[in-house]
Amino acid sequence: MSQRNHGIFPLVAGLVLCALLVPAHAEPTLESLNGNGPYDVASYTDFPEVEAFSEGAIYYPENAEAPMGGVAISPGFTESQAHMRWWGPRLASHGYAVLTLSTNQPRDNPELRAEALMAAVGILRDEHARAGSPLEGRIDVDRMAVMGHSMGGGGALIAANDHGEALSAAIPFTPWQRSPDFSNISIPTLIIAGEADRIASSAEHAWPHYEMIPETTPKAYLEFADGNHFIGNSPQRTRSNLDVHDVMGRYAIAWLKLHMDGDEAYRPLIYGEVPEADQAKLSRLVTNSTE
Ligand code: 9J3
């Protein structure tokens, strides 16, 4: 056998093997992001306790390729993790480790919710190193996002403002924070709002929050037509007046895929034209990108 043949066989074999092992990276579509993703979801609660929040659950994709990013989510005033639990399995099925938390006190303020979120991010990072954790060796500790409802959304924005070096993205939904200072936010932030929110009106909360984030930061404002304060909450524990989890989940997943994971295939799903099917559902979609 000549040296050349000898040299090329492993290369060809290697390419064939790669093609077999790496699943075809299907282009993301509206449909593929409107519901649960390709991965099987498992969950557990027996991770080490912290002082900053009371209870939590971690949802993760059993069969996703490592490493995966993490997402911490806080509920709103008087709520618990049960009120926004749907985000856990939804995001995990698309490839993220997700910690949904309950605050120490149901009435904790947004500042305490920011601390709870940062502690949850710390737990997700620690699970990567903890012997025996289902996530041992599977987390990308440099890809962490925060989310939250209402005062939990305020907490996500505070965390983004104060701890941007430790975070990659923020997605508050129907956020509430009365005297905000979000002028230091440098991580990509998607704000989800309801046009008919009577508790945290978008005119006094979500929209000024959006405007306060520097123009140099990738940011988007997604407002659901006629949506109330609870459109991002779980169906089981909701006073939501709309069923828009398909669209809301899709934008959140695309935001994480593009801005946290750097996957450009998702860019059109954020910055493309509003799909016809969504036009009646959205009262506003504003971004500071022209792409
Ligand atoms: O977390 C939230 O739902 C905030 C709602 C609210 O009414 O706060 C007023 C103290």
Side-chain angles (χ1 to χ4, degrees):
M1 200 185 277
S2 77
Q3 211 36 52
R4 172 170 296 169
N5 283 343
H6 205 116
I8 209 143
F9 175 74
L11 178 66
V12 173
L15 287 175
V16 170
L17 194 62
C18 280
L20 290 173
L21 290 179
V22 178
H25 190 283
E27 285 298 303
T29 63
L30 301 184
E31 292 70 31
S32 68
L33 297 189
N34 272 351
N36 285 328
Y39 304 116
D40 298 328
V41 175
S43 69
Y44 64 102
T45 57
D46 56 342
F47 46 82
E49 288 184 17
V50 288
E51 285 181 8
F53 63 86
S54 61
E55 292 186 326
I58 294 178
Y59 297 84
Y60 67 98
E62 286 185 295
N63 48 342
E65 58 270 37
M68 64 184 91
V71 185
I73 317 182
S74 166
F77 193 65
T78 73
E79 295 178 345
S80 71
Q81 56 176 329
H83 290 82
M84 42 72 186
R85 195 185 295 283
W86 76 279
W87 284 105
R90 177 65 59 88
L91 297 179
S93 75
H94 286 274
Y96 299 102
V98 185
L99 197 162
T100 59
L101 66 87
S102 292
T103 48
N104 282 326
Q105 302 299 328
R107 292 165 189 266
D108 278 349
N109 63 28
E111 286 74 16
L112 288 171
R113 287 167 204 269
E115 288 178 21
L117 284 166
M118 293 313 296
V121 163
I123 285 181
L124 288 169
R125 288 206 171 97
D126 290 349
E127 286 299 277
H128 178 69
R130 185 171 69 86
S133 158
L135 293 171
E136 185 181 1
R138 298 185 64 199
I139 299 280
D140 182 342
V141 297
D142 293 324
R143 282 193 274 143
M144 289 288 151
V146 286
M147 296 180 62
H149 174 231
S150 196
M151 285 193 187
L157 288 160
I158 293 167
N161 192 73
D162 295 352
H163 303 285
E165 75 294 338
L167 298 170
S168 301
I171 310 179
F173 44 102
T174 56
W176 186 99
Q177 172 64 337
R178 205 170 249 148
S179 42
D181 177 9
F182 302 142
S183 58
N184 193 44
I185 293 182
S186 61
I187 58 169
T189 300
L190 165 64
I191 298 183
I192 298 170
E195 184 190 24
D197 190 333
R198 305 279 174 248
I199 294 171
S201 86
S202 57
E204 288 172 37
H205 293 268
W207 181 250
H209 298 169
Y210 174 80
E211 287 196 300
M212 197 168 289
I213 299 169
E215 280 300 325
T216 47
T217 299
K219 57 178 182 172
Y221 176 85
L222 179 71
E223 189 187 82
F224 286 86
D226 196 38
N228 71 11
H229 189 53
F230 302 100
I231 51 174
N233 281 19
S234 287
Q236 296 79 9
R237 293 288 186 96
T238 197
R239 289 177 275 156
S240 170
N241 62 337
L242 295 178
D243 180 1
V244 287
H245 284 183
D246 52 353
V247 179
M248 182 183 302
R250 185 213 311 152
Y251 275 95
I253 294 155
W255 194 258
L256 295 172
K257 295 280 182 187
L258 173 63
H259 286 300
M260 184 157 85
D261 302 348
D263 191 336
E264 287 293 323
Y266 292 82
R267 185 175 291 277
L269 287 147
I270 305 278
Y271 298 107
E273 264 178 61
V274 175
E276 209 171 309
D278 297 345
Q279 281 176 13
K281 293 181 179 174
L282 298 180
S283 41
R284 267 193 283 182
L285 173 55
V286 182
T287 77
N288 63 341
S289 170
T290 52
E291 296 180 73

Short mmCIF file of all heavy atoms in Angstrom, two decimals, residues 2 31 46 67 104 181 184 237:
data_model
loop_
_atom_site.label_atom_id
_atom_site.label_comp_id
_atom_site.label_asym_id
_atom_site.label_seq_id
_atom_site.Cartn_x
_atom_site.Cartn_y
_atom_site.Cartn_z
N SER A 2 0.60 2.16 -0.88
CA SER A 2 1.43 3.35 -0.94
C SER A 2 1.17 4.25 0.27
O SER A 2 0.15 4.14 0.94
CB SER A 2 1.14 4.13 -2.21
OG SER A 2 -0.06 4.85 -2.05
N GLU A 31 -42.09 25.99 13.30
CA GLU A 31 -42.72 24.80 13.86
C GLU A 31 -41.79 24.11 14.86
O GLU A 31 -42.23 23.69 15.93
CB GLU A 31 -43.11 23.81 12.76
CG GLU A 31 -44.24 24.31 11.86
CD GLU A 31 -43.82 25.48 10.95
OE1 GLU A 31 -42.62 25.54 10.55
OE2 GLU A 31 -44.66 26.34 10.66
N ASP A 46 -32.48 17.13 44.20
CA ASP A 46 -31.56 16.85 45.31
C ASP A 46 -30.16 17.39 45.05
O ASP A 46 -29.18 16.68 45.17
CB ASP A 46 -31.54 15.36 45.62
CG ASP A 46 -31.17 14.52 44.40
OD1 ASP A 46 -31.27 15.04 43.27
OD2 ASP A 46 -30.78 13.35 44.59
N PRO A 67 -21.20 20.27 25.82
CA PRO A 67 -21.76 20.89 27.02
C PRO A 67 -22.98 21.73 26.69
O PRO A 67 -23.15 22.18 25.57
CB PRO A 67 -20.60 21.78 27.48
CG PRO A 67 -19.90 22.18 26.21
CD PRO A 67 -20.09 21.04 25.24
N ASN A 104 -37.30 32.62 48.99
CA ASN A 104 -37.42 32.32 50.42
C ASN A 104 -38.77 32.75 50.94
O ASN A 104 -39.45 32.01 51.64
CB ASN A 104 -36.30 33.01 51.20
CG ASN A 104 -34.98 32.26 51.06
OD1 ASN A 104 -34.96 31.04 50.97
ND2 ASN A 104 -33.88 33.00 51.03
N ASP A 181 -32.57 50.87 37.31
CA ASP A 181 -31.37 51.39 36.66
C ASP A 181 -30.74 50.23 35.91
O ASP A 181 -30.06 49.41 36.50
CB ASP A 181 -30.38 51.96 37.68
CG ASP A 181 -29.11 52.43 36.98
OD1 ASP A 181 -29.10 52.46 35.73
OD2 ASP A 181 -28.12 52.74 37.66
N ASN A 184 -26.48 49.68 32.82
CA ASN A 184 -25.21 48.94 32.76
C ASN A 184 -25.35 47.57 32.11
O ASN A 184 -24.43 46.77 32.13
CB ASN A 184 -24.65 48.79 34.20
CG ASN A 184 -23.21 48.32 34.21
OD1 ASN A 184 -22.39 48.81 33.44
ND2 ASN A 184 -22.90 47.35 35.05
N ARG A 237 -51.31 27.27 36.63
CA ARG A 237 -51.33 28.24 37.72
C ARG A 237 -51.45 29.64 37.15
O ARG A 237 -50.76 30.54 37.57
CB ARG A 237 -50.01 28.16 38.52
CG ARG A 237 -49.81 26.89 39.27
CD ARG A 237 -50.75 26.83 40.47
NE ARG A 237 -50.44 25.65 41.28
CZ ARG A 237 -49.66 25.68 42.35
NH1 ARG A 237 -49.15 26.80 42.77
NH2 ARG A 237 -49.41 24.58 43.02
#
